[in-house]
Amino acid sequence: MDFFGDEEEYNTNVLAIIQRNHELVPGALCPAASATSSPSPRRRHRRRRSISMAGAMDLPAKGGFSFDLCRRNAMLAEKGLKMPGFRKTGTTIVGLVFQDGVVLGADTRATEGPIVADKNCEKIHYMAPNIYCCGAGTAADTEAVTDMVSSQLQLHRYATGRESRVVTALTLLKSHLFSYQGHVSAALVLGGVDVTGPHLHTVYPHGSTDTLPFATMGSGSLAAMSVFESKYKEGLTREEGIQLVSDAICAGIFNDLGSGSNVDVCVITKGKTEYLRNHQLPNPRTYVSSKGYSFTKGQTEVLSTKITQLEPKVEVAEGDAMEE
Amino acid sequence: MAWQQPMDGSHASGSKVAAADGPGTQRTQYPYVTGTSVIALKYKDGVIMACDTGASYGSTLRYKSVERIKAVGKHSLIGASGEFSDFQEILRYLDELTLSDHMWDDGNSLGPKEVHSYLTRVMYNRRNKFDPLWNSLVLGGVKKGPKGEEKYLGMVNMIGTHFEENHIATGFGNHLAIPILRAEWCEDMTFEEAVKLVEKCLLVLLYRDRSSINKFQIAKITTEGATIYPPYSLKTHWGFAAFENPSKGAVGSW
């Protein structure tokens, strides 16, 4: 149930009216879900029904962003309606390739404007047993898109009987994001190890990708990149890789306001993945009251007592005080 | 950078007669020829400052041999990023200041703290008149004080924000160099260590700042005076496997 009422209900009602009046222009009014529609229900993505007019041609499902409601939203905004905001993950996410595979890292702060909404959220998302993806940008978008591609990869694994490849995840992500023309605000660092070796890619909200030996994304990307550019070299060992990733995330945590709290690390090698949740906790709670925070009676010292009797101030002439 | 126009035209001008302003006059200010980041840090013998020698005209690299660090008096160095003509004007103001100070002939000379204070006043007053000098200035120096030789390093920017720190970076350096400096600076570094740290920062800026060039100048100020070294270049490394063949895992992709 979203802010403006049930969209599906609205659409069906409108379309029923239009259908009756035969005003429907040939073509799917409500494009169906994107290309490889998976049968599993997608969180935060409403399935739109494709319409076939009585007796008219059945057009194939189209993907991409539907601009139908834009005019209505613009009209509402003009009338003074404030759209609900979205939770962004002002973030530092990084990845690097070391000699045996890939190390991914992320901070754990999710912000809603100036407020920290979640002190310890998880930004490293599961895609496949050998592929993980860090997400920056709008939290809902990164979650939904990685979930969706993860399901698609699982179906693909069932169909092919093979381990998923990183380029498969990459292509699925980039074609989805491109078809939404940047409106799905997800900036991702995708990494994994498959039969062809270790791979690390960045994916931008508009759908472009890069293949890199080390990558950073998010608001803290410059701080993290400065650490990488000065210290990265090829052929790092596992310990060096984890250390460098932690250093880069810490640089983001301490030098960027949008990033903070803890460091999550994920190490992917051939045949083994280790998700080190909260690998470093560089922001511990330093003060904790020794007496605890429940204040029982008798804990506060009474210095003096003064009791004042309350006297009635109002003289009621006749009738009830509460009358009228 | 979009600069908001003042609502009415009746603001006193920076240097012209106020009567010339009528309604609708705008103090339009965009920087034209700009220099990029300056980095500076305190070390054992004094202060070291470095920047590249480029000045861009919008997105063109127009000038490649520009000196953005100059000595001020006997005790200070000034480095500037931002509009280069405003920096030249500031140098003229500082010339006047040091000259009139010299003419007092009282054996005292302006130290870095005094010059920094003067520049802060100039920058803040200009911003209040909506006619800013579009620079971020870095002021470093060493002067004998009550506690012996005191090193000083501070910064002023175009809106008058000023502070003193052990390490300073302007422009893109704020995002790319400060994290490195905060992690790796320590008290009383030797000159070689300080140069290494500065070069580390300059290299990252060269890789990741589009308006920087591979021609740098380092300057230092100590009790002996200011030394500005001749420009030189840094070695860059581009030989990563992924750079050479990004589509190795899947032919036809990128």
Side-chain angles (χ1 to χ4, degrees), chain B residues 106-127:
Chain B
D106 55 3
N108 193 22
S109 49
L110 287 171
K113 223 177 276 218
E114 290 85 58
V115 178
H116 188 217
S117 179
Y118 171 78
L119 288 171
T120 309
R121 293 294 100 223
V122 168
M123 301 297 268
Y124 186 66
N125 275 288
R126 288 291 294 261
R127 131 298 129 88

Side-chain angles (χ1 to χ4, degrees), chain B residues 49-160:
Chain B
M49 203 181 288
C51 67
D52 71 350
T53 61
S56 319
Y57 183 59
S59 52
T60 327
L61 253 177
R62 179 70 180 84
Y63 303 101
K64 296 196 196 172
S65 290
V66 151
E67 264 201 39
R68 294 194 289 117
I69 300 181
K70 294 282 186 191
V72 178
K74 288 184 276 186
H75 304 283
S76 325
L77 276 179
I78 182 173
S81 66
E83 172 62 60
F84 196 65
S85 60
D86 284 345
F87 178 51
Q88 289 169 327
E89 192 66 8
I90 287 169
L91 290 175
R92 276 196 54 232
Y93 292 158
L94 289 173
D95 261 346
E96 279 176 32
L97 182 76
T98 41
L99 187 67
S100 52
D101 181 65
H102 180 74
M103 290 203 293
W104 281 106
D105 203 18
D106 55 3
N108 193 22
S109 49
L110 287 171
K113 223 177 276 218
E114 290 85 58
V115 178
H116 188 217
S117 179
Y118 171 78
L119 288 171
T120 309
R121 293 294 100 223
V122 168
M123 301 297 268
Y124 186 66
N125 275 288
R126 288 291 294 261
R127 131 298 129 88
N128 283 347
K129 291 187 248 180
F130 280 86
D131 185 19
L133 290 160
W134 205 287
N135 292 111
S136 286
L137 305 167
V138 183
L139 215 300
V142 201
K143 188 167 176 230
K144 211 182 184 74
K147 295 179 207 148
E149 292 298 336
E150 282 168 21
K151 299 174 276 207
Y152 185 87
L153 180 60
M155 181 188 111
V156 199
N157 70 4
M158 68 184 256
I159 54 174

Side-chain angles (χ1 to χ4, degrees), chain A residues 205-223:
Chain A
H206 284 266
S208 64
T209 59
D210 287 311
T211 312
L212 295 165
F214 54 91
T216 68
M217 296 282 258
S219 55
S221 63
L222 282 89

